[in-house]
Structure formats: C-alpha cells, structure tokens
Amino acid sequence: MSVMTKLQFENISDREKTRTFAADTFGISEKDAPNLDALADCLSEVTEETAVKVGREALIQICKDDYAYRFLRVLSAAADENPHLHLLITR
C-alpha cells in the first residue's frame, strides 16, 4: 500500500473535517468534491494504492452520526468499485 491512514470519527464528524480528511488522504480538493456525491466520483478515480483502516470504536461512533455514516457508505462503495482503494475494518 502506498498510503495507509486510520479513520477516526473526529476526522469526519462534519463536512469541513471530511473535506480536510479527503484532501490529506486522497488529494481531493473541496473544489473537486463539494458534496458526498462528487466525492464518490473522485474516489472512483483514485489510482494510488490507498488503505483506510477503521477501528471498532471509531466504527461505533461513525454509525451513530448521520454525516459520518453517509461518508463511510460512500467510502465503502468506492472501495468495492475501485481496486486501488481498500477499506479495512480492524479491532
């Protein structure tokens, strides 16, 4: 893997933090992905091997928050479609 990052609830608890996470992890700017639908399109174009690890505690917090959960669903769907993007659920 070229990029390995750990996803924390605090990184995606609102739109601004999610944009920062997307920029830092995937190099996706706010201009390119102003919303989750556009982010999904951008994630489908990631060509660098990228793994995002989500721990159990973070997953529990994410599932309780509407925006964070929607981001995780977008990320999961992108990982299903893009062979360069990997979502790893850890303990």
Side-chain angles (χ1 to χ4, degrees), residues 3 7 9-10 14 18 22 25 33 35 47 65-66 72 76 87:
V3 176
L7 180 60
F9 170 71
E10 297 81 25
D14 63 39
T18 301
T25 305
N35 56 50
T47 57
D65 181 86
D66 183 56
L72 184 63
S76 177
L87 181 61

Side-chain angles (χ1 to χ4, degrees), residues 7 9 12-14 18 36 58-77 87:
L7 180 60
F9 170 71
I12 60 166
S13 59
D14 63 39
T18 301
L36 290 176
L59 187 59
I60 290 169
Q61 287 181 298
I62 289 167
C63 289
K64 292 179 181 180
D65 181 86
D66 183 56
Y67 189 80
Y69 181 71
R70 285 187 289 144
F71 171 78
L72 184 63
R73 288 183 59 195
V74 165
L75 181 60
S76 177
L87 181 61

Side-chain angles (χ1 to χ4, degrees), residues 12-63:
I12 60 166
S13 59
D14 63 39
R15 182 172 285 142
E16 281 304 311
K17 290 177 182 177
T18 301
R19 288 177 177 160
T20 300
F21 178 79
D24 293 347
T25 305
F26 309 107
I28 299 171
S29 72
E30 178 181 343
K31 181 182 125 194
D32 293 331
N35 56 50
L36 290 176
D37 288 335
L39 178 61
D41 293 339
C42 291
L43 290 172
S44 71
E45 298 174 4
V46 170
T47 57
E48 183 174 15
E49 290 296 316
T50 304
V52 179
K53 293 171 49 174
V54 183
R56 183 179 183 277
E57 291 302 315
L59 187 59
I60 290 169
Q61 287 181 298
I62 289 167
C63 289

